[in-house]
Amino acid sequence: MKNLLILFCGLILTFISCKTEKKETPAVKETPKTEFASFGEKISNDGALTKEEVLAKYGTLKVGDTVVVKFASKINEVCSKKGCWMKVPVSDSEEVMVRFKDYGFFMPLDSNGKEVIVEGKAFIKETSVDELKHYAEDAGKSKEEIAKITEPKLEKAFLAHGVLLK
């Protein structure tokens, strides 16, 4: 009787383990997610202002004022030596110089034309002649173009603590 019980249990286990069940999974549409490379502090792409909205914020600033913002734009130019700064447009004729908090991260040298989301402090600053010449040199400008820089310039500037690169 004991052997019959063991045989019976063995047959039941064999039938149960060989049974295949078809489970229908509902078709789920996946929305494509935009992939971003992250530089500096971790930021999200949620709530980013447009470049036009940021330009309006810059319009309210004076030298010494700062405002923390996050905005999306495209990269016009990146430092060709290290990627330690970039310029992004806020209108058809104006761009913002973006540097990185504590010189703590750099952008890839081949980032020109790519979309970015930057988060940090927007401000107006007076850029010295020496600094303007340094940036021109980093950008690969000719000696003649660098020599033409003779006056300081009021500029829209941005100190980013985090950047997302599409």
Side-chain angles (χ1 to χ4, degrees):
M1 183 74 180
K2 200 180 206 182
N3 288 338
L4 190 57
L5 184 61
I6 292 174
L7 179 64
F8 181 71
C9 288
L11 286 174
I12 290 177
L13 287 175
T14 303
F15 285 117
I16 290 174
S17 65
C18 291
K19 182 179 175 184
T20 58
E21 235 180 85
K22 289 186 180 179
K23 290 184 179 179
E24 290 187 31
T25 55
V28 177
K29 290 184 181 179
E30 287 189 27
T31 56
K33 293 193 176 191
T34 306
E35 293 292 324
F36 289 98
S38 180
F39 299 88
E41 293 178 16
K42 298 289 182 201
I43 63 171
S44 72
N45 59 346
D46 298 331
L49 301 176
T50 65
K51 58 186 182 178
E52 292 81 12
E53 291 170 322
V54 168
L55 181 61
K57 288 205 180 274
Y58 271 109
T60 65
L61 299 176
K62 299 177 188 89
V63 175
D65 292 346
T66 62
V67 63
V68 176
V69 295
K70 180 189 330 181
F71 74 98
S73 190
K74 282 192 176 185
I75 300 173
N76 276 352
E77 188 178 358
V78 175
C79 171
S80 63
K81 292 187 179 184
K82 292 187 208 175
C84 57
W85 55 262
M86 65 182 172
K87 292 183 180 179
V88 297
V90 290
S91 73
D92 291 337
S93 60
E94 294 183 83
E95 59 187 12
V96 172
M97 170 68 88
V98 178
R99 291 179 297 127
F100 309 111
K101 183 179 176 186
D102 298 329
Y103 209 60
F105 59 97
F106 304 113
M107 297 304 293
L109 301 179
D110 63 349
S111 300
N112 288 349
K114 294 185 179 177
E115 293 179 35
V116 289
I117 296 174
V118 294
E119 185 174 323
K121 293 180 182 178
F123 57 98
I124 303 290
K125 75 173 223 164
E126 184 175 304
T127 307
S128 70
V129 172
D130 288 341
E131 194 172 354
L132 289 169
K133 286 184 176 187
H134 173 77
Y135 291 144
E137 187 179 305
D138 282 353
K141 305 283 184 190
S142 69
K143 288 185 179 187
E144 293 81 23
E145 289 175 298
I146 294 171
K148 290 179 184 177
I149 300 171
T150 58
E151 293 182 16
K153 182 178 175 185
L154 280 182
E155 292 186 305
K156 293 171 180 59
F158 197 88
L159 183 61
H161 60 253
V163 177
L164 296 175
L165 177 66
K166 192 171 188 181

